[in-house]
Amino acid sequence: MPEETPGFEEKPEVPADGTPEEPTAAEPAQAEEAAPAGDSAQAAGQETALLAQLDQARTALSERTADLQRLQAEYQNYRRRVDRDRVTVKEIAVASLLTELLPTLDDVGRAREHGELVGGFKSVAESLETVAAKMGLQQFGKEGEPFDPTIHEALMHSYAPDVTETTCVAILQPGYRIGERTIRPARVAVAEPQPGAAPKSESAEAEAPSDKDADAPDKG
């Protein structure tokens, strides 16, 4: 075996320019810096995408909420319209039925006026009137009330000195209403003030002798 010569150590290789190579510490640092920068950019991109999705979700939620509110309002309007139509149809049906009963009620009224409403006929007639009243039928029309063309129908006309306005002096047929709806006007005879007649108060004052005239002695 060859013997090693003491006192000689292996020297590192020296470049041609004579400058020894030193380990570059910047390269690992740059690599380490480059990696976090890429991660942060990727995280920022993901955050932007998530924010965009969140905005889209909020927009969709607002649109669905508005649609739901609109549908709810339409449904409430539909229910109110159905309820109103149901009430109207019921009122029309009741008015139609009671209108058909008016001639019978007129006969009952005439029989009562002539004293013919007796016995079993009286019980039936009163039951019929009670049922009609429960269904909302109301009778109107009285002698002496002012004539109203919206609820009265004048069948006879005359003049009278004791009235100051057009007045119903006779009820030929009573009127009937359901609530505020008139299903038949009262048929009446009316009287108007006498044309050219002075008001009652003035004529009474003219006819009544004054105290001065009554106390004056007769001339003659």
Side-chain angles (χ1 to χ4, degrees), residues 105-123:
L105 294 176
D106 291 336
D107 292 339
V108 170
R110 283 190 289 268
R112 181 179 287 111
E113 291 176 358
H114 292 85
E116 298 175 357
L117 199 62
V118 293
F121 178 52
K122 179 180 180 180
S123 299

Side-chain angles (χ1 to χ4, degrees), residues 25 29 44 50 77 90 99 102 139 141 153 160 166 173 193 205 211:
L50 289 175
N77 292 333
K90 180 180 178 180
T99 300
L102 294 185
Q139 185 183 103
E153 181 181 355
T166 305
Q173 272 187 336
E205 291 178 359
D211 295 339

Side-chain angles (χ1 to χ4, degrees), residues 15-133:
D17 57 358
T19 305
E21 278 188 16
E22 295 181 359
T24 307
E27 292 179 359
Q30 290 176 357
E32 291 178 359
E33 291 177 358
D39 292 343
S40 61
Q42 183 178 3
Q46 291 178 353
E47 183 178 359
T48 303
L50 289 175
L51 289 175
Q53 292 178 1
L54 180 60
D55 290 339
Q56 292 178 356
R58 287 175 176 172
T59 302
L61 178 61
S62 299
E63 292 176 352
R64 299 293 85 78
T65 302
D67 293 340
L68 180 61
Q69 291 174 346
R70 183 171 59 254
L71 289 175
Q72 186 176 8
E74 291 177 356
Y75 177 68
Q76 293 296 334
N77 292 333
Y78 167 76
R79 286 194 59 183
R80 283 194 291 267
R81 186 168 60 252
V82 169
D83 293 340
R84 185 172 60 250
D85 292 344
R86 185 183 296 114
V87 172
T88 302
V89 170
K90 180 180 178 180
E91 290 177 351
I92 292 174
V94 170
S96 178
L97 172 62
L98 293 177
T99 300
E100 296 297 327
L101 290 178
L102 294 185
T104 303
L105 294 176
D106 291 336
D107 292 339
V108 170
R110 283 190 289 268
R112 181 179 287 111
E113 291 176 358
H114 292 85
E116 298 175 357
L117 199 62
V118 293
F121 178 52
K122 179 180 180 180
S123 299
V124 173
E126 291 177 349
S127 298
L128 179 61
E129 291 175 337
T130 301
V131 171

